[in-house]
């Protein structure tokens, strides 16, 4: 007896041989995949309680988003295009997210999860970079929503233990002068004593990290300029001690790179690089840095669309791949991308690298799709149980409806998913063996999608006004 059979589809396994099984099926017992193979064979072998008929669609691993932010989704539309990273961060994101109430945060998390589920995402790594640690109510409200959502979350618990130096303080003051009406929170608001922030993060891991469940917590130093060397070391040690990973934003914009040695060299020297580290961005890096990432087994989250929007340039992914670095594709901030939908980014990302290198052979469709599935799972340290459809792995599955004019004809589903899908053709999502969405209907939240959208629009308008955005 099997609990669930997802059948009659083109199974894109993402296994070691990257097999695609036409007329295939996936059998699930409990939270695990027990068999993957031809639909007729599995129908004969397994008597399933529930059937999901893919009707010729693609059956793919649930997508893994290794770098994203959640709260700012309520600020969509308040972002003027002409802003670089620091202008956007200090004039838009920080004042906006700080003005959010706990209810706003829970609503943002709900909206985020609805969009992610509709896009076939079953695991996301949130980088919460604006944490005020003396009050956990915001964190707990968000984690409660993730729990209800039915999909997996990794909460990257933001750590800041170094204030801005006078030169940086002055730079931020100059930047903030552009938006004088906005209520700017003081720079030191998030700065904690090293021991205090380490203790808070450890306590959050102990209370909310579920080694066998859907919810994880990682230590997440925010950026190099606001983190002390000791904090980086403690974050890595926490990751080792609790068998999790750690993540940080590294070398995103030139303004951060003010050291005589590169950020990558610095992090290597202080012991932050290794198999438990996932670095977001890595845009401003050179060949030597890439070699260091490869040698230390450090993974990278490539945030192509957000980097393009902020015009920082983008990470040398082709060099990273050539050197053997594991790279997952992240969607980053919901108001920079402006989506949390990985499939919609894949085509732009693959095309961007091809155009930059003037070489159509780089980042082929299969590699781009890997960066949303098995390679992203590897980047977050979960390749053993996520990222592909294989017996013994967690039953995280999405069914993509291929019956659309823009996806027809489809001789190679991987190529079609990367280069033709818009990302919203997903119609069924299973996570840990539970059906989270079926025929586009989200099963995990009680509230109707339309009602959430209406609430989010109202809360956002109110937030934008309160913050003083024009
Ligand atoms: Fe980010």
């Amino acid at each position: 007896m099997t609990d669930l059979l997802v059948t009659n589809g083109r199974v894109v396994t993402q296994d070691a041989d990257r097999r695609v099984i036409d007329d295939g099926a996936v059998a699930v017992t409990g939270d695990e995949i027990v068999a993957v193979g031809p639909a007729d064979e599995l129908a004969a072998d397994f008597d399933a309680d529930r059937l999901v008929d893919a009707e010729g669609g693609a059956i793919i691993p649930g997508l893994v988003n290794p770098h994203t932010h959640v709260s700012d989704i309520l600020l969509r539309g308040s972002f003027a295009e002409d802003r670089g990273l620091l202008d956007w961060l200090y004039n838009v994101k920080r004042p906006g997210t700080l003005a959010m109430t706990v209810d706003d945060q829970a609503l943002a998390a709900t909206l985020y999860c609805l969009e992610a589920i509709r896009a076939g995402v079953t695991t996301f790594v949130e980088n919460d970079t604006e944490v005020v640690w003396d009050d956990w109510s915001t964190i707990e409200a968000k984690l409660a929503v993730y729990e209800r959502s039915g999909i997996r979350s990794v909460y990257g618990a933001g750590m800041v233990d170094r204030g801005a130096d006078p030169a940086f303080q002055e730079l931020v003051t100059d930047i903030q002068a552009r938006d004088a009406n906005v209520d700017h929170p003081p720079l030191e608001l998030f700065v904690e004593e090293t021991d205090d922030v380490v203790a808070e993060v450890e306590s959050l891991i102990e209370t909310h990290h579920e080694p066998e469940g859907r919810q994880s917590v990682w230590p997440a130093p925010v950026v190099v300029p606001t983190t002390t060397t000791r904090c980086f070391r403690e974050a890595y040690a926490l990751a080792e001690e609790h068998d999790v990973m750690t993540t940080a934003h590294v070398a995103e914009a030139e303004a951060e790179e003010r050291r005589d040695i590169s950020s990558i060299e610095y992090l290597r020297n202080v012991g932050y690089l290794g198999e438990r580290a996932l670095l977001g961005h890595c845009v401003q890096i050179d060949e030597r840095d890439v070699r260091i990432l490869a040698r230390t087994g450090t993974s990278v989250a490539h945030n192509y669309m957000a980097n393009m929007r902020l015009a920082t340039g983008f990470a040398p992914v082709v060099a990273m791949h050539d050197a053997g670095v594991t790279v997952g594709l992240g969607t980053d901030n919901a108001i920079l991308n402006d989506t949390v939908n990985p499939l919609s980014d894949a085509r732009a990302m693959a095309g961007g690298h091809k155009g930059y290198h003037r070489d159509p052979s780089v980042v082929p469709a299969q590699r781009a799709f890997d960066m949303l599935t098995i390679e992203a799972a590897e980047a977050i340290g979960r390749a053993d149980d996520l990222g592909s459809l294989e017996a013994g792995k967690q039953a995280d599955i999405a069914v993509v409806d291929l019956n659309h004019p823009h996806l027809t004809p489809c001789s190679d589903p991987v190529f079609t998913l990367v280069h033709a899908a818009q990302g919203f053709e997903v119609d069924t999502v299973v996570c840990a063996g539970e059906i989270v969405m079926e025929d586009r209907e989200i099963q995990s939240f009680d509230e109707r999608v339309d009602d959430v959208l209406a609430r989010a629009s109202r809360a956002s308008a109110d937030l934008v006004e309160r913050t003083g955005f024009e």
Side-chain angles (χ1 to χ4, degrees):
M1 179 60 90
T2 259
D3 296 328
L4 175 67
L5 193 64
V6 184
T7 190
N8 294 330
R10 304 172 80 172
V11 182
V12 181
T13 63
Q14 292 296 91
D15 66 6
D17 299 326
R18 302 295 188 269
R19 280 184 311 149
V20 174
I21 306 167
D22 286 329
D23 298 321
V26 179
V28 175
T29 298
D31 59 3
E32 238 180 63
I33 295 171
V34 290
V36 178
D40 51 355
E41 282 179 24
L42 266 60
D45 292 350
F46 295 96
D47 178 17
D49 284 346
R50 283 194 76 168
L51 270 187
V52 168
D53 187 343
E55 296 175 356
I59 302 173
I60 66 173
L63 303 180
V64 176
N65 184 349
H67 184 109
T68 184
H69 301 258
V70 171
S71 303
D72 63 326
I73 200 166
L74 274 197
L75 295 166
R76 273 183 173 152
S78 56
F79 170 65
E81 267 187 311
D82 176 23
R83 294 184 192 271
L85 175 65
L86 298 182
D87 188 350
W88 166 80
L89 181 62
Y90 289 105
N91 286 323
V92 180
K93 179 173 175 183
R94 206 153 266 193
T97 50
L98 256 291
M100 291 170 72
T101 63
V102 174
D103 284 348
D104 287 336
Q105 294 276 359
L107 179 54
T110 308
L111 178 62
Y112 183 99
C113 289
L114 293 180
E115 184 181 351
I117 292 167
R118 284 257 174 108
V121 172
T122 49
T123 304
F124 65 90
V125 178
E126 173 185 12
N127 291 250
D128 202 348
T129 48
E130 277 80 28
V131 186
V132 182
W133 277 104
D134 56 7
D135 180 359
W136 284 18
S137 53
T138 290
I139 299 172
E140 289 181 324
K142 287 161 79 174
L143 294 184
V145 171
Y146 304 156
E147 187 58 41
R148 271 203 301 284
S149 75
I151 59 173
R152 295 175 202 278
S153 64
V154 175
Y155 178 76
M159 306 169 85
V160 174
D161 73 331
R162 190 160 86 178
D165 60 32
F168 192 73
Q169 183 88 47
E170 202 177 321
L171 172 65
V172 172
T173 303
D174 291 345
I175 286 169
Q176 289 175 336
R178 176 176 179 179
D179 294 277
N181 292 337
V182 167
D183 186 11
H184 294 102
L187 271 187
E188 58 279 8
L189 183 63
F190 308 102
V191 184
E192 303 272 347
E193 292 295 325
T194 311
D195 290 335
D196 293 346
V197 72
V198 169
E200 293 280 357
V201 171
E202 177 152 42
S203 153
L204 190 71
I205 293 172
E206 283 164 352
T207 50
H208 290 81
H209 176 67
E210 302 168 351
E212 305 298 325
R214 286 187 282 100
Q215 205 145 72
S216 301
V217 180
W218 294 358
V222 172
V223 284
V224 174
T226 61
T227 310
T228 63
T229 297
R230 190 156 75 82
C231 187
F232 273 120
R233 290 191 174 127
E234 300 262 2
Y236 203 90
L238 270 184
E240 285 180 316
E241 195 182 323
H242 294 276
D243 194 20
V244 294
M245 290 194 54
T246 175
T247 191
H249 289 75
V250 177
E252 180 174 1
E254 275 174 23
E256 295 169 53
E257 303 303 290
R258 300 185 304 154
R259 290 168 176 271
D260 294 329
I261 57 173
S262 75
S263 290
I264 301 293
E265 279 183 280
Y266 161 72
L267 292 172
R268 187 267 318 269
N269 294 356
V270 305
Y272 187 73
L273 299 190
E275 289 179 354
R276 291 190 184 274
L278 169 65
L279 308 186
H281 300 290
C282 295
V283 173
Q284 318 298 333
I285 73 173
D286 62 18
E287 285 172 26
R288 174 176 158 75
D289 294 326
V290 171
R291 283 196 294 275
I292 294 172
L293 292 172
R295 251 183 243 136
T296 54
T298 305
S299 301
V300 171
H302 175 39
N303 301 301
Y304 178 81
M305 287 304 292
N307 292 158
M308 291 297 277
R309 273 284 292 279
L310 288 178
T312 55
F314 51 83
V317 167
V318 175
M320 289 176 183
H321 277 162
D322 287 348
V325 177
T326 300
V327 186
L329 182 65
T331 60
D332 208 6
N333 288 276
I335 58 165
L336 284 180
N337 190 318
D338 267 8
T339 180
V340 301
N341 179 332
L343 269 178
S344 78
D345 284 7
R347 173 169 63 160
M349 186 273 298
H353 288 284
K354 289 174 195 295
Y356 176 77
H357 287 279
R358 299 186 180 218
D359 179 353
S361 73
V362 303
V363 194
Q366 180 64 65
R367 193 65 190 253
F369 195 61
D370 291 356
M371 292 168 71
L372 315 182
T373 55
I374 187 63
E375 193 169 350
E378 199 179 333
I380 67 165
R382 297 291 299 271
D384 287 347
D385 62 343
L386 304 178
S388 63
L389 301 176
E390 295 175 85
K393 285 212 172 184
Q394 282 290 298
D396 290 9
I397 305 163
V399 177
V400 183
D401 181 3
L402 297 174
N403 192 26
H404 292 279
H406 67 286
L407 304 181
T408 303
C410 172
S411 57
D412 172 357
V414 172
F415 185 91
T416 297
L417 287 165
V418 170
H419 288 294
Q422 306 297 304
F424 290 104
E425 301 87 344
V426 175
D427 68 11
T428 295
V429 173
V430 174
C431 184
E434 300 285 337
I435 296 178
V436 176
M437 177 171 79
E438 189 166 21
D439 297 328
R440 304 290 288 165
E441 291 294 325
I442 292 185
Q443 311 289 314
S444 49
F445 289 106
D446 295 333
E447 190 176 1
R448 290 176 54 238
V449 171
D450 283 352
D451 293 341
V452 176
L453 304 188
R455 276 206 299 136
S457 294
R458 283 196 303 273
S460 175
D462 189 49
L463 175 63
V464 165
E465 197 181 321
R466 259 186 355 252
T467 316
F469 293 140
E470 285 171 346

